[in-house]
């Protein structure tokens, strides 16, 4: 489970408001797993949404809206296909501290995975300072 980055990596005054996820697997079956899991950190309420063909999920991006999915089990040579896009709003000043992606590993995750998740933002920021952002390089 993770929280997405909140400010655009190039346009620093663009605040990410929404994720729009369109799922495109025509023959998706629930036994393939990989449904979209969501969790509200304010209430710890959780849900899992099926992702059949042509399902559009619109998710608010906030510092409490976790999402992710478990391992998928598609037949050999098949993959989950989707389109993801984001909606931004321009803010004249920051309303929260900029973040990259915050990871929330499962309780039974290894010590190494938990430490990596805990330090992910720092590692990405350090990498971007030293080597630049791939997002910015591709613009």
């Amino acid at each position: 489970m993770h929280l997405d980055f909140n400010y655009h990596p190039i346009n620093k005054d663009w605040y990410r408001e929404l994720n729009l996820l369109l799922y495109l697997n025509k023959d998706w079956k629930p036994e393939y797993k990989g449904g979209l899991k969501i969790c509200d950190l304010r209430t710890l309420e959780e849900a899992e949404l099926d992702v059949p063909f042509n399902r559009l999920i619109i998710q608010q991006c906030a510092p409490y809206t976790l999402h992710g999915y478990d391992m998928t089990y598609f037949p050999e040579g098949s993959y989950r296909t989707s389109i993801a896009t984001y909606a931004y709003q321009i803010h004249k000043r920051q309303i929260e501290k900029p973040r990259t992606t915050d990871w929330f590993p499962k309780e039974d995750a290894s010590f190494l995975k938990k430490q990596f998740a805990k330090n992910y933002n720092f590692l990405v920021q350090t990498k971007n300072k030293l080597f630049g952002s791939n997002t910015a390089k591709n613009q």
Side-chain angles (χ1 to χ4, degrees), residues 1-6 15-19 21 36-47 57-68 96 99-104:
M1 300 285 276
H2 66 277
L3 291 174
D4 288 321
F5 66 86
N6 54 358
Y15 181 77
R16 186 169 170 176
E17 295 282 349
L18 299 172
N19 287 337
L21 308 166
L36 181 66
K37 292 184 169 199
I38 56 175
C39 177
D40 186 320
L41 287 176
R42 299 168 300 179
T43 63
L44 298 182
E45 185 177 348
E46 295 184 7
I57 296 175
I58 301 172
Q59 178 198 15
Q60 177 187 19
C61 293
Y64 49 82
T65 56
L66 288 177
H67 62 283
E96 63 184 52
R99 65 173 179 273
T100 54
T101 299
D102 286 341
W103 293 96
F104 293 76

Side-chain angles (χ1 to χ4, degrees), residues 8-23:
H8 192 277
I10 298 169
N11 300 300
K12 304 293 186 188
D13 56 347
W14 290 14
Y15 181 77
R16 186 169 170 176
E17 295 282 349
L18 299 172
N19 287 337
L20 292 90
L21 308 166
L22 178 63
Y23 292 91

Side-chain angles (χ1 to χ4, degrees), residues 11 27 31 34 45-46 55 69 80 90 93 103-105:
N11 300 300
D27 55 355
E31 58 264 25
E45 185 177 348
E46 295 184 7
R55 164 89 27 104
Y69 60 91
R80 177 166 56 191
I90 296 174
R93 60 182 174 83
W103 293 96
F104 293 76

Side-chain angles (χ1 to χ4, degrees), residues 2-139:
H2 66 277
L3 291 174
D4 288 321
F5 66 86
N6 54 358
Y7 284 95
H8 192 277
I10 298 169
N11 300 300
K12 304 293 186 188
D13 56 347
W14 290 14
Y15 181 77
R16 186 169 170 176
E17 295 282 349
L18 299 172
N19 287 337
L20 292 90
L21 308 166
L22 178 63
Y23 292 91
L24 300 171
N25 288 91
K26 286 189 177 183
D27 55 355
W28 182 86
K29 294 177 177 64
E31 58 264 25
Y32 296 162
K33 305 290 184 196
L36 181 66
K37 292 184 169 199
I38 56 175
C39 177
D40 186 320
L41 287 176
R42 299 168 300 179
T43 63
L44 298 182
E45 185 177 348
E46 295 184 7
E48 185 169 357
L49 308 172
D50 288 340
V51 292
F53 177 72
N54 213 26
R55 164 89 27 104
L56 175 66
I57 296 175
I58 301 172
Q59 178 198 15
Q60 177 187 19
C61 293
Y64 49 82
T65 56
L66 288 177
H67 62 283
Y69 60 91
D70 289 333
M71 179 71 74
T72 56
Y73 298 97
F74 281 107
E76 185 70 31
S78 296
Y79 307 93
R80 177 166 56 191
T81 305
S82 62
I83 297 172
T85 192
Y86 317 115
Y88 293 89
Q89 183 175 21
I90 296 174
H91 288 182
K92 292 186 187 272
R93 60 182 174 83
Q94 290 181 347
I95 60 170
E96 63 184 52
K97 182 180 175 189
R99 65 173 179 273
T100 54
T101 299
D102 286 341
W103 293 96
F104 293 76
K106 293 180 179 182
E107 290 292 322
D108 61 350
S110 70
F111 173 79
L112 185 60
K113 187 177 267 189
K114 288 179 181 178
Q115 289 303 308
F116 182 76
K118 183 178 176 181
N119 294 292
Y120 184 78
N121 269 304
F122 171 76
L123 294 169
V124 170
Q125 290 168 357
T126 302
K127 188 262 323 168
N128 288 346
K129 284 180 185 173
L130 294 173
F131 305 108
S133 164
N134 283 335
T135 304
K137 288 177 184 175
N138 291 328
Q139 295 300 311

